[in-house]
């Protein structure tokens, strides 16, 4: 027998568990409200207490996956004693953005792997969990030849726009009913309705370029069943640009409306055949603004829908929804029932089972108002829609379960995951947020991770939490690239845009030197001169010694006493790029990633024009090591054995691992982490610790996250009361974390004593003219000297 056991919402302070239903022999599901007493404590406790979210046990009989709740104390949900008196987390992230709202659930469009951290939906998932290649049941593919023939005949004779129950042959009816079952897997769909925006073609092209860059090479495998479909609806004048710019990204193009005539004297109308020939795959019909402003009726919409279905390549998104007055009067079910029956009149079950029509539920009171239906409200409305579908197509039980239903109405990156957590919410129709490429991409990511979480049983618990404190108020405009020299017992970092390089020995006042050029990153330099570093400047690679020639680190004249020495030219000579992130690899070479200085606006807006290069320490020659371009290089760091390199293009919010060789290009790319949709900002600098865990500074989110590269799970979070940009490990035992930050609400250096067992790796040196660092054995020998 199946037991569904839950913590009652009316017993949130009790440990009493009650059996709410007994169904059939299959599985055991254990759910706990976010504030229940199952492995949870009060939300408003300080950082020195246990975590604030319940652990959840979810057993999925289809996958035979069984995850035990973690031992919370064993997971280390306490700050180390050195930080026991720090202020509460609220001082850093605010009451409305608590960590419990962030889903640390990794997902991969490349290998389908889903990590073990993520919110489990409060409803039993009604979807099939088998991987499929279309929104239709795999049963259809297994139909007998005679059954398939009957279905083909039905599609020719009865499928498009002329359905009448009484005219469908019994054999065809049986074939349809047997081929499409309620276990059909519904693939999510995320759509962006631009409405009458933006104002000019130039603005539209910029938006399209930014969107293309976010998806190309990162989210372009949209044919995968593990990924939502994506479609945008630009105004008609921008459609050709959209088709051209988004080619290869996997993003489909739709039209915001269509006419009900094929051709003739109908000034101002657009025929579905014209849209299909222009590259459209979808048409939006019945939007509330068309109904209220232009007086379109269910009959008008139905006529247009039938005309669209005559085009084999077109799908229709049919919008329905109630006004606030109708909702408050309890008329939601009646309104959507009437709109569905009017809009779908005469539409065959075959057209619906073939995914030709998608329903978008948009409560009118939520469109453009900032109001969003709660997940529970959206789920109730979607169930009402399915009830109407069952009533309309009762003989074909698969129809109601097959049709995809989106939610629309002020959808944002913060709300998408919770909405998609509901069993009957199959995607989102996005309005204003689709006019920002980053916001729309985050909504796509939220839909992807939430849908994966919904389909797989997984455990949800908080990572360990720490807080770093500011130790130097250096007020850097853009602090970056911290490296620690164990030999010199000193930390080095840059203020990139100010052209400053800083050093600090942890005892005396910090010391800086001016480079007279913007600086991207630095690395340690093998030299007899103390404090020697290599610098990736805007125009060239340079070297210098970070020791005051005057002998007094507090002497301001020392900033200007001597400049850096020229080493070699930078890897490319484009005025639109400059060096950004970089580190010396474990073999003594310098890997540097470039930065598109105008990636948001200007001469190269939205363009992937930056490359990733390696400077050979023996020949001082550059080699490009990545086979695609990007916009903003970050997260460059290496595993302890030097055979794995991590890298990310910040605007894409994705971090990858590559196989690394000191002589060849990067190979075997695999996705390590995609930022949760509700987490703002992007991945910046990163470093690897001695256990192989990856630490990433999330600029714009005020935190550092520790990720297990094997699972994609976030295991620790370090809060920073500023915008972190990068990090490294230092101190005598490499057991301290140093974090650079940026203006306007940062710029200082932050420091944290790490918990027991967490330490870094020695930073390698760039070995000019030396062969000691150019092999793994040479580097191991070098490590032994530190």
């Amino acid at each position: 027998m199946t037991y569904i056991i839950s913590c009652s919402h009316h017993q949130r302070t009790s440990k009493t568990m009650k059996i709410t239903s007994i169904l059939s022999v299959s599985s055991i599901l254990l759910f706990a409200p976010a504030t229940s007493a199952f492995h949870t404590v009060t939300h408003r406790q300080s950082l020195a207490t246990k975590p604030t979210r319940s652990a959840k046990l979810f057993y999925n009989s289809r996958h035979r996956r069984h995850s035990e709740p973690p031992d919370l104390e064993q997971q280390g949900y306490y700050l180390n004693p050195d930080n026991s008196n720090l202020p509460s987390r609220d001082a850093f992230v605010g009451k409305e953005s608590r960590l419990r709202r962030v889903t640390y659930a990794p997902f991969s469009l490349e290998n389908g792997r889903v990590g073990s951290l993520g919110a489990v939906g409060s409803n039993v998932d009604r979807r099939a969990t088998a991987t499929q290649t279309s929104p239709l049941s795999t049963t259809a593919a297994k139909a007998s030849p005679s059954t398939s023939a009957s279905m083909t005949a039905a599609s020719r004779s009865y499928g498009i726009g002329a359905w009448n129950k009484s005219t469908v042959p019994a054999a065809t009816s049986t074939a349809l009913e047997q081929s499409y079952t309620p276990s059909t897997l519904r693939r999510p769909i995320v759509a962006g309705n631009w409405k009458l925006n933006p104002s000019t073609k130039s603005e539209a092209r910029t938006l399209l370029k930014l969107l293309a860059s976010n998806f190309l090479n990162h989210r372009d495998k949209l044919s995968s069943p593990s990924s939502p479909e994506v479609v945008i609806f630009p105004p008609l004048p921008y459609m050709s640009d959209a088709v051209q710019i988004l080619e290869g990204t996997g993003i489909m193009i739709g039209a915001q409306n269509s006419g009900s005539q094929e051709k003739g004297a109908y000034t101002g109308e657009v025929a579905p055949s014209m849209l299909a020939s222009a590259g459209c795959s979808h048409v939006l019909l019945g939007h509330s603004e068309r109904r209220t402003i232009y007086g379109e009726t269910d009959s008008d919409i139905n006529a247009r829908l039938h005309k669209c279905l005559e085009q084999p390549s077109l799908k229709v998104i049919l919008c329905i929804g109630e006004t606030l007055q109708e909702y408050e009067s309890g008329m939601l079910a009646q309104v959507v029932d009437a709109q569905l029956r009017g809009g779908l009149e005469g539409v065959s079950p075959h057209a619906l089972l073939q995914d030709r029509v998608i329903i978008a539920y948009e409560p009118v009171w939520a469109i453009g108002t900032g109001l969003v239906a709660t997940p529970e409200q959206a789920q109730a409305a979607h169930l009402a829609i399915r009830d109407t579908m069952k009533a309309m197509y009762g003989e074909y039980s698969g129809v109601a379960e097959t049709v995809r239903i989106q939610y629309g109405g002020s959808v944002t990156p913060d709300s998408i995951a919770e909405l998609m957590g509901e069993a009957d919410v199959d995607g989102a129709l996005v309005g204003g947020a689709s006019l920002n490429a980053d916001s729309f991409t985050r909504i796509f990511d939220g839909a992807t991770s939430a849908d994966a979480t919904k389909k797989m049983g997984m455990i949800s618990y908080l990572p360990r939490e720490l807080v770093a404190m500011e130790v130097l108020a250096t007020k850097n405009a853009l602090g970056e690239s911290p490296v620690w020299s164990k030999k010199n017992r000193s930390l080095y970092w840059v203020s990139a845009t100010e052209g400053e390089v800083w050093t600090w020995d942890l005892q005396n006042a910090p010391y800086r030197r001016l480079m007279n050029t913007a600086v991207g990153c630095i690395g340690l330099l093998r030299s007899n001169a103390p404090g020697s570093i290599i610098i990736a400047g805007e125009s060239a690679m340079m070297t210098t010694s970070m020791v005051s020639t005057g002998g007094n680190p507090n002497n301001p004249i020392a900033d200007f006493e001597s400049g850096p020495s020229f080493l070699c030219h930078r890897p490319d000579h484009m005025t639109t790029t400059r060096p950004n992130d970089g580190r010396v690899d474990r073999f003594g070479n310098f890997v540097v990633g470039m930065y598109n200085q105008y990636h948001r606006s200007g001469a190269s807006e939205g363009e992937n024009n930056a490359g990733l290069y390696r400077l050979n320490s023996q020949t001082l020659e550059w080699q490009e090591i990545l086979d695609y371009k990007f916009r903003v290089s970050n997260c460059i760091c290496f595993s302890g054995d030097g055979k794995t390199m991590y890298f990310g293009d910040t605007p894409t919010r994705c971090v990858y691992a590559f196989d690394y060789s000191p002589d060849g290009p990067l190979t075997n790319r695999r996705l390590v982490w995609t930022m949760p949709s509700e987490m703002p900002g992007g991945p910046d600098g990163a470093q690897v610790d001695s256990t192989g865990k990856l630490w990433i500074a999330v600029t714009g989110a005020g935190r550092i996250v520790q990720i297990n590269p094997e699972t994609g799970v976030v295991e620790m979070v370090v809060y920073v009361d500023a915008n972190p940009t990068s990090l490294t490990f230092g101190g005598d035992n490499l057991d301290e974390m140093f974090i650079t930050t940026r203006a306007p609400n940062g710029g200082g250096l932050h420091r944290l004593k790490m918990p027991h067992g967490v330490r870094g790796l020695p930073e390698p040196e760039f070995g000019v003219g030396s062969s000691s660092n150019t092999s793994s054995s040479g580097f191991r020998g070098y490590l032994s000297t530190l």
Side-chain angles (χ1 to χ4, degrees), residues 200-220:
T200 66
K201 184 174 182 177
S202 175
E203 293 175 288
R205 289 183 62 86
T206 297
L207 176 55
L208 290 166
K209 287 179 181 178
L210 291 171
L211 196 59
S213 294
N214 281 354
F215 277 77
L216 192 64
N217 296 320
H218 303 283
R219 298 172 179 85
D220 51 341

Side-chain angles (χ1 to χ4, degrees), residues 256-319:
Q256 296 178 18
N257 199 17
S258 176
S260 58
Q261 303 295 331
E262 186 60 33
K263 62 181 180 179
Y266 301 100
T267 302
E269 289 293 280
V270 177
S273 60
M274 299 175 182
L275 298 174
S277 65
C280 275
S281 60
H282 292 70
V283 176
L284 196 66
L285 295 176
H287 194 279
S288 64
E289 291 159 2
R290 300 297 309 178
R291 295 175 186 263
T292 58
I293 299 174
Y294 299 100
E296 292 184 2
T297 65
D298 289 333
S299 177
D300 297 331
I301 295 163
N302 179 256
R304 298 180 185 201
L305 187 147
H306 279 286
K307 187 59 66 175
C308 288
L309 293 183
E310 291 177 3
Q311 299 298 318
S313 62
L314 287 182
K315 295 183 179 183
V316 172
I317 295 182
L318 174 62
C319 300

Side-chain angles (χ1 to χ4, degrees), residues 42-103:
T42 306
H43 268 303
R44 301 189 181 276
Q45 291 176 323
S46 69
L47 281 172
T49 63
K50 292 182 180 180
T52 60
R53 187 175 184 176
S54 60
K56 300 173 184 176
L57 176 66
F58 190 112
Y59 180 75
N60 188 317
S61 63
R62 292 191 181 99
H63 286 277
R64 302 296 179 194
R65 302 171 72 91
H66 187 193
S67 301
E68 293 292 340
D71 184 328
L72 301 180
E73 294 186 12
Q74 198 69 24
Q75 291 286 340
Y77 286 97
Y78 296 93
L79 289 176
N80 59 59
D82 294 340
N83 293 327
S84 58
N85 295 321
L86 292 176
S88 70
R89 182 179 62 210
D90 290 349
F92 296 92
V93 297
K95 296 180 179 179
E96 296 303 318
S97 57
R98 295 182 182 280
L99 187 60
R100 68 181 179 86
R101 299 183 58 198
V102 176
T103 304

